[in-house]
Amino acid sequence: MKSMNVSFHKEDAVEAMKVDILEEEDFNRVTEGGTRHLFELDTNIGFFVFFDGADADGNLHYLALQYEEESEEPTYCFSFELKDFYEFMALYLNDLEFSDEESEDEEQEYGPIHHLAHLLYHIVEDAKKAE
C-alpha cells in the first residue's frame, strides 16, 4: 500500500486529502468481510466504481476502483477517509438533483459531477507520480 497526499487548486474548495493506493493483497484484506457497491462514474480519465468494504474485524473502508478503457482489471484501487468519501458521494447525489433541473435543450454547465471528475483527475495524476 502506498499513501499520498493529494492537493487541489484553491478554486476547487477542497482540502488536501490522504489517499491510499491499495495492492491486491490490501484490497483482499479490507474487503474480506464483504463489499457494498454505492455508485459508478464514467469519465474521460476512466470508469470509477465507488464502494465500501469491511475487513475481518468489521472495520469499514471507503474505496474506489479505476478502470481505463476496456480493461477488465482495475488500474488503481484507492482508499479514502470517510470525510473525503462523503464529499464524493455528496457531489454525486447533488448532480442527480442538478441534472433533474436541466432541460435536454440546455447546454450542460459545470456541475457537481464535473467537479467530482476534476477531483478524481487530480487523484489519478498524483497516483501516477507516486509510482
Side-chain angles (χ1 to χ4, degrees):
M1 173 173 41
K2 294 180 184 175
S3 292
M4 60 183 186
N5 288 312
V6 179
S7 297
F8 301 96
H9 301 124
K10 182 179 177 183
E11 305 82 46
D12 294 334
V14 175
E15 293 180 12
M17 63 178 68
K18 179 183 172 283
V19 178
D20 293 327
I21 303 171
L22 304 183
E23 300 294 332
E24 187 173 357
E25 310 84 50
D26 302 314
F27 174 83
N28 292 335
R29 181 180 46 77
V30 301
T31 60
E32 187 175 347
T35 62
R36 184 171 52 174
H37 178 269
L38 299 170
F39 66 96
E40 300 170 352
L41 182 63
D42 195 4
T43 72
N44 62 346
I45 59 167
F47 183 75
F48 293 85
V49 178
F50 291 84
F51 60 103
D52 60 16
D55 61 23
D57 298 325
N59 298 314
L60 289 178
H61 301 269
Y62 309 96
L63 310 165
L65 295 174
Q66 182 216 12
Y67 295 87
E68 290 180 333
E69 298 173 12
E70 300 299 318
S71 177
E72 292 188 20
E73 293 295 318
T75 305
Y76 292 109
C77 177
F78 298 112
S79 177
F80 302 97
E81 294 178 357
L82 176 58
K83 67 179 182 59
D84 299 324
F85 196 79
Y86 180 83
E87 178 75 24
F88 299 150
M89 285 188 66
L91 288 168
Y92 180 79
L93 292 171
N94 278 334
D95 191 69
L96 295 178
E97 184 176 309
F98 186 78
S99 295
D100 287 345
E101 294 174 2
E102 290 181 4
S103 74
E104 291 181 21
D105 295 335
E106 290 180 31
E107 189 174 314
Q108 192 173 8
E109 58 185 80
Y110 188 84
I113 208 75
H114 299 101
H115 190 60
L116 174 55
H118 177 75
L119 298 178
L120 292 170
Y121 171 80
H122 283 290
I123 293 166
V124 169
E125 288 301 305
D126 281 7
K128 288 176 184 176
K129 291 176 191 171
E131 289 194 359

